[in-house]
Amino acid sequence: MMNISNRPLIDATAIQSRVKELAAQLDGDYQGRALTVVVVLNGAMFFAADITRQMRADILLESIRVRSYTGTAPAPELTLFDAGNDAIAGRHILVLEDIVDSGRTAVAILNHFRARQAASISLCTLLDKPARRIETVEPVYIGFTIDDHFVVGYGMDYNGRYRQLPHIYVLES
Ligand code: 5GP
């Protein structure tokens, strides 16, 4: 039986103020550049909705979906669904993720865009869980670094549940 922690690990107020800071930092860094923001669905949907609405930069907003098939394969097989190349080639790409854990998803996404002639590619993640990293990946922008907990809320799920919670909680057994 899994439950969520009584108290949030990160509450909505803390999330929103950090999101605001990151948005200001991104606006500064991408000033005058052709920027495409790519949202990794579903986990980053609320993060992306909040951060992009705090940004003043002129952006193209795209999304991709990643399916991880664990099965018997040693590494997850990633299937990416995304939009047309017009939003990628020659443009600066900022990938928005909910959480970087092993780093496999992030590496697959970054490689995917590298192969499509983006001008630059950076990763912005709401949460970073460096304790479980397998791949070498350093997100340029990090909302919060957390310990090795499984977290839910603010877009992140457990078997499809808890995404709509405004705070981030630890899942406990
Ligand atoms: P990675 O490929 O870095 O191991 O995992 C990235 C993906 O795994 C995240 O985008 C997220 O969907 C899922 N994930 C990793 N850690 C957590 C967690 O603590 N909570 C939830 N809900 N999803 C997680």
Side-chain angles (χ1 to χ4, degrees):
M1 179 72 184
M2 302 301 255
N3 288 303
I4 59 170
S5 52
N6 283 331
R7 290 183 24 185
L9 179 69
I10 309 170
D11 72 19
T13 308
I15 295 169
Q16 294 308 326
S17 71
R18 185 68 187 123
V19 163
K20 217 169 182 169
E21 286 174 1
L22 282 175
Q25 193 184 350
L26 291 169
D27 272 338
D29 290 359
Y30 285 97
Q31 205 172 11
R33 294 185 169 181
L35 175 61
T36 297
V37 173
V38 179
V39 185
V40 182
L41 298 176
N42 289 322
M45 57 167 55
F46 296 114
F47 176 44
D50 287 343
I51 198 165
T52 56
R53 286 180 301 166
Q54 294 284 341
M55 291 173 67
R56 289 152 187 252
D58 184 18
I59 63 177
L60 286 184
L61 188 55
E62 297 286 345
S63 61
I64 58 171
R65 196 181 180 111
V66 182
R67 296 249 163 86
S68 307
Y69 297 100
T70 38
T72 55
E77 180 188 325
L78 300 172
T79 310
L80 297 113
F81 304 88
D82 68 353
N85 211 40
D86 285 358
I88 309 301
R91 298 183 61 90
H92 296 271
I93 309 302
L94 178 70
V95 176
L96 296 182
E97 266 222 87
D98 52 353
I99 180 162
V100 177
D101 187 18
S102 73
R104 284 185 178 134
T105 307
V107 164
I109 292 169
L110 296 176
N111 288 341
H112 176 75
F113 288 119
R114 276 195 195 106
R116 293 175 58 183
Q117 281 85 46
S120 73
I121 313 156
S122 291
L123 180 62
C124 174
T125 186
L126 175 67
L127 303 179
D128 188 18
K129 222 196 281 186
R132 294 184 13 119
R133 199 74 97 246
I134 292 169
E135 298 283 346
T136 304
V137 47
E138 292 288 333
V140 180
Y141 304 94
I142 296 168
F144 303 90
T145 299
I146 62 165
D147 293 336
D148 187 11
H149 301 298
F150 191 87
V151 294
V152 295
Y154 196 62
M156 292 169 283
D157 75 311
Y158 174 66
N159 290 340
R161 294 182 63 203
Y162 306 119
R163 280 194 206 281
Q164 87 282 14
L165 300 176
H167 313 290
I168 294 170
Y169 296 88
V170 173
L171 193 74
E172 297 170 338
S173 54

